[in-house]
Amino acid sequence: MSIDTRSDAGSVVSKYSSVDTIHSDESLDSEEYQYLESEWSRLTNLLQSLKGEELHRYLSHRLKRKEIKNIRALSCLLPSHRFPTAGTVHCVRCHHDYYPTKQAPNSCKLYHSPNLVVIIAQDQAGTTFQCNGCNKQFYLKGIWKYTKEHRHLAGYCFRGSHTDDAYDVQYRPTGMAKTCQDNGCIEFFI
């Protein structure tokens, strides 16, 4: 069974982006507070005594399982803005791999798709088209039907920086940007 990761997106952000501490969260009952205090103490001591290689091996092993809860937990602990990868990263907008340290400002491009472009008007010199994915209109001289071969003449639905954060992308049913799951980049199975 496939899981739509977009439906969980809001709950993941709200659940893991809180800045509450165990001392500031008034909704904790005493039993939960004691548990969290105990776990904080245990984890603090563990991190002081644990070797880096051992921690790395354990986290890598958990990540290899591709369990959603582990991916979300590690993403929370190791956010991409604090721990960018040294190698290539997958852009969740255009689905190309890129080097975060070497990306150009307008390197992420989504062209207008021919199946989203309609004719608005024609004259003897050319055609005015509209992309229903981004609502941009453009005029192409000497072109009567928009095809994939004309996309370099028409501009872009989006042009900007690559991102590995799905919250930076506007996924719309009729838009050009597709989720990695919809694009076939990843699949989650139960």
Side-chain angles (χ1 to χ4, degrees):
M1 179 173 139
S2 178
I3 295 175
D4 184 357
T5 56
R6 291 172 293 177
S7 63
D8 290 341
S11 64
V12 170
V13 168
S14 64
K15 183 176 180 181
Y16 293 116
S17 65
S18 175
V19 292
D20 289 337
T21 66
I22 56 176
H23 299 291
S24 69
D25 191 342
E26 296 173 6
S27 66
L28 294 175
D29 60 29
S30 64
E31 189 176 312
E32 189 174 11
Y33 176 82
Q34 288 175 346
Y35 167 77
L36 290 172
E37 273 287 338
S38 175
E39 279 299 285
W40 174 83
S41 179
R42 182 185 71 82
L43 292 170
T44 301
N45 291 328
L46 177 68
L47 287 175
Q48 290 174 353
S49 64
L50 200 61
K51 293 179 182 172
E53 302 86 33
E54 189 178 354
L55 180 62
H56 182 270
R57 193 175 327 119
Y58 179 77
L59 294 177
S60 295
H61 177 72
R62 299 296 294 205
L63 194 58
K64 283 181 186 176
R65 293 180 180 178
K66 294 187 178 181
E67 293 176 1
I68 294 171
K69 66 178 183 174
N70 291 337
I71 295 169
R72 288 182 176 154
L74 284 172
S75 292
C76 179
L77 291 173
L78 305 168
S80 62
H81 68 279
R82 288 276 295 134
F83 300 93
T85 182
T88 60
V89 176
H90 182 77
C91 179
V92 295
R93 183 182 295 113
C94 71
H95 307 288
H96 290 106
D97 291 337
Y98 67 99
Y99 289 96
T101 57
K102 299 179 182 177
Q103 84 164 299
N106 290 316
S107 55
C108 182
K109 300 171 188 163
L110 295 177
Y111 292 97
H112 304 293
S113 172
N115 50 340
L116 294 177
V117 173
V118 295
I119 296 173
I120 298 296
Q122 286 184 324
D123 58 27
Q124 293 179 348
T127 307
T128 301
F129 297 96
Q130 178 174 327
C131 175
N132 288 330
C134 64
N135 294 323
K136 290 181 184 170
Q137 290 186 4
F138 50 94
Y139 183 82
L140 297 179
K141 191 173 182 180
I143 307 294
W144 314 111
K145 181 180 179 187
Y146 183 78
T147 63
K148 187 177 180 180
E149 289 75 34
H150 302 123
R151 67 184 184 175
H152 65 283
L153 302 171
Y156 309 96
C157 276
F158 175 85
R159 186 174 180 190
S161 297
H162 290 297
T163 183
D164 62 344
D165 186 352
Y167 293 105
D168 291 342
V169 183
Q170 292 181 0
Y171 297 112
R172 294 182 295 209
T174 60
M176 282 299 299
K178 294 180 177 144
T179 65
C180 288
Q181 186 176 2
D182 290 343
N183 199 54
C185 302
I186 60 168
E187 291 182 15
F188 288 105
F189 294 97
I190 295 180

